[in-house]
Amino acid sequence: MLMEKLGMDKIEESKNRVQALRASRKDIKWPLLSEEEKHHLVHQYHPDYKKEAYGEIRIGPNRGEKTVLEVVKLLEGESSIASESISLSAARQVDVLIIGGGGAGATAALSVKEAGASVLMATKLRLGDSNTVMAEGGMQVAISPDDSPIQHFMDSLRGGHMENDRTLLKTLVESGPSVAKWLLDIGVLFDREEDGNLSLRPGGGSSRARLLRCKDYTGLELMRVLKDAVLDEEIEVLEFSPVVELLTDGEGICTGAILKNLDNNKYLTVQAKTVILSTGGMGRLHIQGFPTSNHYGATADGLPIAYRAGAALTLQDTFQYHPTGAVYPEAMAGILVTEAIRSVGAQLVNSNGERFVNEMETRDAVASAVIRECQEGRGVETSSGRRGVWLDMPLVDLLNGEGTLKDRFPNMDRQYSRYKIDISKDPVLVYPTLHYQNGGIKINVDGESTLKGLFVAGEASGGIHGRNRLMGNSLLDIIVYGKRAGRAASLRASETEFRKLTLRHLEEYQKEQKSAGVVPQIVSPILFPDYVNKD
Ligand SMILES: Cc1cc2nc3c(=O)[nH]c(=O)nc-3n(C[C@H](O)[C@H](O)[C@H](O)COP(=O)(O)OP(=O)(O)OC[C@H]3O[C@@H](n4cnc5c(N)ncnc54)[C@H](O)[C@@H]3O)c2cc1C
């Protein structure tokens, strides 16, 4: 109790310093880092460069390459059906099977339906339970007169450390305006200015204001409309039915999947002419012990199943740690505090009340600067041992007029007010939170993986964002590549017959495990983090 009291006193002292120094730093413009300074900062402090957190992948298409130990374990894991006897005769047949009911999956399903192919969606939780629904800050689209897809391309390439797949990126930015129009047409209510024009805001690492948003619940609005459209189109959705394994014809073509019904633990074999995987990200792996902003189902299920069926990964060693995850109160640890708040003036300050970075640097640089402050003793420690720096949000009202925070960020305001924290009066503690997998399953511009017949859309795919996704580019990605994958998978299905259903790829993978001396440490996909539903 005494420890806690002393801790709280120190935190209060630090908070008072932040309040006292607010007026003096309000108008100071903090310089952007040079490329060299940024390189140095990121290499020294970003978790992606912590060598001991990485290991070699010993089997499969990316054999000999590295990724974090948590993902190595997943890729080298044992299939959950290895010890089951499962009938491979198809209980269901469909042109296109969509796996995952978030933004990318829903968009792909609509696109398949439009193309006239038959479609079935299987998802782990309910339709819409996903990371998409949690997206806050907005979607980048180059539509203002002073902007262009080329500018958007350059910003994204710089943000991605020049390692983005340029063809994928070009298609992403060029498709932005048309997919934004499509979203408006199907009913998404993006914020508008008083004159009725769409409102655009700046985002970290972007040279132009190009974020379309719906206050601070952009993903909720997108998913509301996509979900309605899926239901209106009467697309069949199997909920609580995660995929646990893919099926192939034994000759390198994906031909279906095995689903597990979570209500009765029974398996369902689905034969499909093509499969679209849109299972999202991996925050719930808690890489390097980080908290996460992701939903409970974000356990990277798509990676091991696609990998052992023969699909290569790309940039599987790079992850995004969003600089501003909540630290306090404990119940909010890891929850995202949207970057958009920094874009309208909230400053990051250390325990001494001093600024230490330009808040609009790319996420990897800002996260690295926060980690540096904490490692070098300029962070604030809570009574439960979490560390963080201050995000001085009351500045937003000082700079933009009273009421701005509550008006533009109602979601954030509501989350904190539950714990009696008034974000228009008090700064809050933040620290990087595991947010996004920059890499994933390698795709071409139609969303097809290196395993023929397996298409991938959304966060499960890799390449578009290089080593660091720019804010707002994922919501764009899921719509652009959801549509492309849907169209291409439908076209392929129209030219294809149903093929054999086998698990030969799994047998071959098991042989490879044996000959490489790999003893699986876990069953993968894991489906849920191990702290869920513990008795
Ligand atoms: C808090 C938060 C804020 C964000 N803010 C922004 C933002 O402002 N702008 C932006 O561009 N991006 C943002 N992002 C990132 C963006 O929201 C996601 O990257 C994107 O929505 C992912 O979409 P998806 O369809 O690929 O995956 P998801 O939306 O996560 O959907 C994946 C779906 O697959 C299902 N699934 C998982 N495993 C299985 C399985 N084994 N079988 C069947 N189904 C499965 C899941 O249940 C889910 O329905 C944010 C992310 C978070 C977490």
Side-chain angles (χ1 to χ4, degrees), residues 8 12 27 44 107 160 182 206 252 263 302-303 314-315 483:
M8 288 310 284
E12 279 306 313
D27 297 313
Q44 200 170 349
T107 306
W182 179 73
S206 301
D263 282 337
L303 298 188
T314 182
L315 293 164
K483 274 176 164 289

Side-chain angles (χ1 to χ4, degrees), residues 99-105 122-126 128-139 241-243 278-281 293-295 297 301 336 435-436 457-460 469 471-476 478 525 527:
I99 301 168
T123 192
K124 181 156 67 181
L125 301 160
R126 293 166 307 177
D129 288 346
S130 60
N131 275 352
T132 300
V133 87
M134 300 171 84
E136 297 173 2
M139 178 174 106
S241 299
V243 63
S278 48
T279 44
S293 62
N294 286 194
H295 81 120
D301 296 352
L336 198 75
H435 187 55
Y436 187 79
E459 193 169 339
R469 172 176 68 83
M471 179 204 183
N473 269 355
S474 176
L475 289 183
L476 181 59
I478 62 176
L527 302 185

Side-chain angles (χ1 to χ4, degrees), residues 377-454:
R378 295 181 295 277
V380 176
E381 191 164 336
T382 69
S383 51
S384 68
R386 292 185 191 274
R387 282 180 304 172
V389 297
W390 296 105
L391 180 66
D392 194 9
M393 291 204 261
L395 259 176
V396 173
D397 279 3
L398 260 184
L399 291 165
N400 303 279
E402 210 173 311
T404 309
L405 262 175
K406 295 196 176 187
D407 176 47
R408 285 207 204 149
F409 304 101
N411 174 24
M412 221 66 275
D413 179 46
R414 190 180 49 84
Q415 303 235 38
Y416 274 103
S417 60
R418 282 205 213 132
Y419 301 96
K420 310 254 178 297
I421 293 173
D422 183 345
I423 57 171
S424 65
K425 295 206 165 55
D426 283 320
V428 298
L429 283 176
V430 292
Y431 191 75
T433 181
L434 181 57
H435 187 55
Y436 187 79
Q437 58 178 55
N438 291 316
I441 303 162
K442 191 177 165 67
I443 55 167
N444 66 18
V445 79
D446 288 327
E448 191 165 15
S449 70
T450 60
L451 173 65
K452 215 168 164 211
L454 178 68

